[in-house]
Amino acid sequence: MEHRSDLGQPSACHGPDFGEHHPQEVALERVYALVGDLPRMFALVQDFTEVVAYGLALPGGTATTVGANGRGFGLWASPRSAARRLHSDLVWFGNDGAQQPTS
């Protein structure tokens, strides 16, 4: 999914087929209005070699995780809280596929 920082700005897509907005932009604006900030994906890793869990940072600041083996589910106060409690490093999955490690 494309990260949009200009969702509140007028669209640059004009033309007879799309009117003022491209249909995909309108859909993204509706999703953003419905849920606010979108969840962000992350992984919890140990020694940058073993994935312990995968997670979602939710719009309210909380996070959910599921164990890399598919078992175990967690609800946490924040992604950093999950990392501390599971003695892991927090690795964000960026929109471009890049990973951005944070501790």
Side-chain angles (χ1 to χ4, degrees), residues 15-84:
D17 296 333
F18 300 118
E20 295 268 333
H21 297 282
H22 187 282
Q24 186 177 13
E25 288 180 1
V26 172
L28 285 173
E29 289 174 3
R30 287 181 182 160
V31 168
Y32 185 79
L34 178 65
V35 298
D37 293 330
L38 296 176
R40 292 181 60 201
M41 295 188 322
F42 64 89
L44 299 177
V45 298
Q46 293 178 342
D47 300 322
F48 288 99
T49 59
E50 179 186 357
V51 176
V52 175
Y54 296 99
L56 283 176
L58 302 172
T62 60
T64 61
T65 57
V66 63
N69 61 6
R71 291 182 286 189
F73 178 84
L75 179 59
W76 310 92
S78 69
R80 293 187 193 286
S81 169
R84 275 193 310 273

